[in-house]
Amino acid sequence: MDATNPAILADRFKTLHYDPEQDAVILLNRAKYPFETEYVTCDTVDAVAQAIERMIVQGGPPLAYAAGLGLALAEPTEAGYRAAAQRLLDTRPTADDLHHIIPQALDRALQALAKGSDPKQAVLTYVNSEIARGNQVSRRCGEHAASLLEDEDRVLTHCIAGAALCWMLWTAKQQGKRIHLIATETRPYLQGARLTAQCAKELGVEVTVITDGMPAHMMSQGMIDKFICAADRITMDGHITNKVGTFQIAIAAHYHGIPFYVLGYDGPDPNTPDASGIEIEWRDGKEVLFCGGKRVAVEGARALYPAFDITPPHLIAGIVTDKGIYPPTLIRRYWEQPTSGQSSKHSIENA
Amino acid sequence: MDATNPAILADRFKTLHYDPEQDAVILLNRAKYPFETEYVTCDTVDAVAQAIERMIVQGGPPLAYAAGLGLALAEPTEAGYRAAAQRLLDTRPTADDLHHIIPQALDRALQALAKGSDPKQAVLTYVNSEIARGNQVSRRCGEHAASLLEDEDRVLTHCIAGAALCWMLWTAKQQGKRIHLIATETRPYLQGARLTAQCAKELGVEVTVITDGMPAHMMSQGMIDKFICAADRITMDGHITNKVGTFQIAIAAHYHGIPFYVLGYDGPDPNTPDASGIEIEWRDGKEVLFCGGKRVAVEGARALYPAFDITPPHLIAGIVTDKGIYPPTLIRRYWEQPTSGQSSKHSIENA
């Protein structure tokens, strides 16, 4: 498979990078894309942290990469790096990538300081190698996922499943499989209507947008063959955390006997044995009261915005990783497999 | 219970009526309410039909009443009334009230023509008596529903469950029960964020808006005690049709062991024995691509908009009517009970 994936979101370097001339992190503004293709220049640690909090960059790996590059902007002292790492870690509690990359990047910076070498360069080298590795993981994960698809499959997805989704769709297309993607719009941020639909468009895959309340009805009408989405964190016992709404669709899929596959990228988090250790981020409820910048709820109404939910393993047919496809209850075996050449972000725990 | 319900939507005469001076039907624009309190004047049958199609009036009974009043605007000949009735019937296929009121109103008009009396007055008298009866049905249904609620219950609802919901909340409040309402925003028209939240506000009931993807997560966190919504049509074997999204929440409620009660107003449709006879309206998919008038999906994406879905009886704990509360599989018994004084919109079928 030598073709170049045309979707912008399939290659993280196209959406975020460090610019040495400006000494700044440049981020595609995912809150506006694809209606506007705006790149935001963040020249301080705090600017990067705020960009993550404001969802200018979102999705587990991309926001972790942005944070990692942001660490390179810290004041080049031990105290400076430690404070910057904490500021960046505090942005989002749920996704696991952030909580792996920042401690690792901090470690590289402190080692460089101790050795008298350039800490900024140490951080950038490490994070850029992680982005490159993440691109490879996404591609392999997407290729394995494509093997699950049959010609004319109608695949439901929720939120944006990122680079692996792009690679899955691209690989299936190269294999001559005609896939129809059904994207939930994914309120309140509309990642489905914007980002997922845009990826499908760039890939030449037909896409239909539905509201977040419609999946069960579509399933009952025989209009959905598979449900496939990503995960912000996978536990060692096979629970997955993903954008709120995933759990509800997974229950509906199970009710209808429709398989739910998770694009699990580089596997479960060895530091999260089960769901009890996952902190679900509560974002500002006000975000639910608006849609596309316009107020949609009456004044005086409260709102709640749990950003993620947790789906238990019995609702999941398989977790697709860069190393292959696992039953959710056996996902810990991911860490017992050879790493097939690439370095691993995780320390391997004996499960 | 003598208190006057303060919610505008609790009294249909406050939201729609025939104005003899203008010879027109006046409708509260529910597509804009409560952000704007605009009354639309419809002085032709086609204007009323378009108002229904454009969701200026929505909800099973209200749109049926608007259509019924609209029939009074027909050319006062047999052909004129027949054409008008067909135009009005063609607006929305799923809700049953429309398909009861229009044939009945047509019948009154044709009888008046045959007798040489005023057909317009015959239509108005009949429809206004139906609106008054509907108000009574709503109140009794809401009072029965209030008996299901306990102090401090957190009640999830979807779309706008109309006058019966207002009466349920009002009655519970009079009984000293503090109810917290959780309203799904209900995309694409946001009836929950607008109309349900507004009703709660007018009633002094605390309300929290969530997106349509959040109910299952809220249930898993112990944040919801009951799920209660309305139905556009109830079959004699206990299936209910309601705003799309209801079925998905009902599956999630069943998964979590949370009871789902349906505000069934004046019972099942005797002409719909089971779900096979229900036509689900497909509205223009473009409506999903916009939110509050603003485009939210990328150009080139298709969209689908099934307006309703069907929930089977095994997911329903009880159907609340003006005559009391029935297990869904026994809802046909509604028609075996005395009508407690009010005339019935339905011809009673022996089940």
Side-chain angles (χ1 to χ4, degrees):
Chain A
M1 195 87 41
D2 292 320
T4 304
N5 193 310
I8 287 179
L9 297 190
D11 179 355
R12 276 72 177 258
F13 286 116
K14 288 184 184 163
T15 68
L16 49 89
H17 68 279
Y18 171 79
D19 176 10
E21 287 195 13
Q22 298 182 76
D23 189 27
V25 177
I26 314 297
L27 302 173
L28 174 68
N29 187 341
R30 290 184 180 222
K32 295 186 174 175
Y33 185 75
F35 295 114
E36 295 173 44
T37 303
E38 170 189 284
Y39 285 87
V40 176
T41 302
C42 303
D43 57 5
T44 64
V45 170
D46 198 60
V48 173
Q50 287 190 34
I52 294 168
E53 286 164 347
R54 288 166 47 214
M55 309 258 299
I56 284 171
V57 55
Q58 54 76 242
L63 76 86
Y65 302 143
L69 296 175
L71 192 70
L73 305 178
E75 182 196 307
T77 63
E78 178 172 342
Y81 281 113
R82 287 195 188 281
Q86 197 55 52
R87 174 73 183 92
L88 292 161
L89 279 173
D90 287 345
T91 53
R92 307 287 307 269
T94 303
D96 69 336
D97 302 285
L98 176 68
H99 298 265
H100 285 285
I101 283 188
I102 292 297
Q104 286 283 331
L106 174 63
D107 197 47
R108 308 298 159 103
L110 299 184
Q111 279 179 29
L113 279 175
K115 285 190 298 184
S117 60
D118 182 357
K120 178 190 292 266
Q121 199 51 54
V123 169
L124 290 173
T125 300
Y126 165 69
V127 177
N128 280 323
S129 75
E130 279 298 290
I131 300 174
R133 188 183 70 79
N135 276 347
Q136 280 304 309
V137 164
S138 303
R139 179 171 185 161
R140 289 195 187 103
C141 176
E143 287 168 356
H144 284 299
S147 72
L148 294 166
L149 302 182
E150 290 170 49
D151 190 26
E152 310 227 357
D153 262 357
R154 291 142 320 159
V155 175
L156 174 69
T157 190
H158 183 59
C159 197
I160 167 71
L165 181 84
C166 296
W167 279 108
M168 178 189 83
L169 294 172
W170 182 246
T171 305
K173 192 173 181 182
Q174 303 298 105
Q175 293 168 345
K177 297 170 184 167
R178 285 156 298 184
I179 303 301
H180 188 98
L181 196 66
I182 296 157
T184 57
E185 60 176 4
T186 318
R187 281 276 292 144
Y189 276 104
L190 301 161
Q191 290 95 334
R194 295 185 296 111
L195 305 178
T196 300
Q198 177 67 17
C199 287
K201 195 171 149 182
E202 292 172 14
L203 292 163
V205 170
E206 201 181 38
V207 62
T208 299
V209 176
I210 61 174
T211 69
D212 301 325
M214 293 178 188
H217 175 69
M218 302 280 287
M219 292 173 186
S220 76
Q221 301 302 300
M223 298 173 77
I224 288 171
D225 298 299
K226 293 176 174 87
F227 172 40
I228 300 180
C229 72
D232 290 79
R233 192 188 300 205
I234 299 169
T235 66
M236 290 294 277
D237 68 352
H239 289 70
I240 69 117
T241 308
N242 195 44
K243 177 58 56 192
V244 68
T246 304
F247 174 42
Q248 187 163 281
I249 302 173
I251 297 170
H254 190 254
Y255 178 93
H256 289 95
I258 291 168
F260 171 31
Y261 296 107
V262 176
L263 299 177
Y265 288 81
D266 53 357
D269 176 13
N271 299 318
T272 307
D274 56 49
S276 67
I278 301 174
E279 180 188 345
I280 296 293
E281 175 184 0
W282 288 87
R283 293 182 64 82
D284 188 344
K286 278 187 194 154
E287 297 176 10
V288 168
L289 302 173
F290 290 80
C291 185
K294 183 173 168 167
R295 183 153 187 127
V296 291
V298 296
E299 296 290 338
R302 294 195 331 146
L304 286 173
Y305 181 7
F308 302 94
D309 58 28
I310 296 172
T311 300
H314 78 272
L315 301 178
I316 301 169
I319 300 177
V320 187
T321 71
D322 59 322
K323 293 184 191 172
I325 303 167
Y326 297 81
T329 51
L330 299 177
I331 188 62
R332 60 176 58 240
R333 289 193 180 162
Y334 177 90
W335 291 116
E336 297 161 9
Q337 307 275 321
T339 52
S340 70
Q342 84 273 34
S343 69
S344 163
K345 74 174 180 184
H346 299 301
S347 59
I348 296 181
E349 180 189 74
N350 289 314
Chain B
M1 195 87 43
D2 292 321
T4 303
N5 193 310
I8 287 179
L9 296 189
D11 178 356
R12 276 71 178 261
F13 286 115
K14 288 185 183 162
T15 69
L16 49 92
H17 69 279
Y18 171 78
D19 177 10
E21 289 196 12
Q22 299 182 76
D23 189 26
V25 177
I26 314 297
L27 302 172
L28 174 68
N29 187 341
R30 290 185 180 221
K32 294 184 175 176
Y33 184 77
F35 294 114
E36 296 173 42
T37 303
E38 171 190 284
Y39 285 87
V40 176
T41 303
C42 303
D43 57 6
T44 63
V45 171
D46 199 60
V48 173
Q50 286 188 35
I52 295 168
E53 287 165 346
R54 288 163 48 213
M55 312 258 297
I56 284 171
V57 55
Q58 53 77 239
L63 76 87
Y65 301 143
L69 297 175
L71 192 69
L73 305 178
E75 183 195 306
T77 63
E78 177 171 343
Y81 281 112
R82 287 197 188 278
Q86 196 57 53
R87 174 72 183 93
L88 292 161
L89 279 172
D90 288 345
T91 54
R92 309 285 309 266
T94 303
D96 69 337
D97 302 284
L98 177 68
H99 297 266
H100 287 284
I101 282 189
I102 291 298
Q104 287 283 332
L106 175 62
D107 197 45
R108 309 297 159 103
L110 298 184
Q111 280 179 29
L113 278 175
K115 287 191 293 186
S117 61
D118 182 358
K120 180 191 291 268
Q121 199 50 56
V123 169
L124 290 173
T125 300
Y126 165 69
V127 177
N128 281 323
S129 75
E130 279 297 290
I131 299 175
R133 188 183 70 79
N135 277 346
Q136 278 306 310
V137 164
S138 304
R139 180 171 185 161
R140 290 196 186 103
C141 177
E143 286 169 356
H144 285 300
S147 73
L148 294 166
L149 301 183
E150 292 170 49
D151 190 28
E152 311 226 359
D153 262 357
R154 290 138 326 156
V155 175
L156 175 69
T157 190
H158 183 58
C159 198
I160 167 72
L165 181 84
C166 296
W167 279 109
M168 177 188 84
L169 293 173
W170 182 246
T171 306
K173 193 174 179 178
Q174 302 300 105
Q175 294 168 345
K177 297 171 185 168
R178 286 157 297 185
I179 304 302
H180 187 98
L181 196 66
I182 297 156
T184 57
E185 60 175 2
T186 317
R187 281 275 293 141
Y189 277 103
L190 302 160
Q191 288 96 332
R194 294 186 296 112
L195 305 179
T196 300
Q198 178 66 19
C199 288
K201 196 171 149 180
E202 292 171 15
L203 292 163
V205 170
E206 199 182 41
V207 61
T208 299
V209 176
I210 60 174
T211 70
D212 301 326
M214 293 177 188
H217 175 68
M218 302 279 287
M219 291 172 186
S220 75
Q221 301 302 300
M223 298 174 77
I224 289 171
D225 298 300
K226 293 176 174 86
F227 172 41
I228 301 180
C229 71
D232 290 79
R233 192 188 302 204
I234 299 169
T235 66
M236 290 294 278
D237 69 351
H239 290 72
I240 69 118
T241 307
N242 195 45
K243 177 58 55 193
V244 67
T246 304
F247 174 41
Q248 188 164 281
I249 301 172
I251 297 170
H254 190 254
Y255 179 92
H256 289 96
I258 291 168
F260 170 32
Y261 297 106
V262 175
L263 299 177
Y265 289 79
D266 53 356
D269 176 13
N271 298 318
T272 306
D274 56 48
S276 67
I278 302 174
E279 180 188 344
I280 296 293
E281 174 185 0
W282 287 88
R283 292 183 62 84
D284 188 342
K286 277 184 194 158
E287 298 176 10
V288 168
L289 302 173
F290 290 81
C291 184
K294 182 173 169 171
R295 183 156 188 125
V296 292
V298 296
E299 296 290 338
R302 292 196 329 147
L304 286 173
Y305 181 7
F308 302 95
D309 58 27
I310 296 171
T311 300
H314 78 272
L315 301 179
I316 301 168
I319 299 178
V320 186
T321 72
D322 58 325
K323 294 185 192 171
I325 303 168
Y326 297 81
T329 51
L330 300 177
I331 188 63
R332 59 179 54 240
R333 291 194 178 161
Y334 177 90
W335 291 114
E336 297 161 9
Q337 309 275 322
T339 53
S340 68
Q342 84 272 33
S343 70
S344 164
K345 74 173 181 187
H346 298 301
S347 59
I348 296 180
E349 180 189 71
N350 289 314

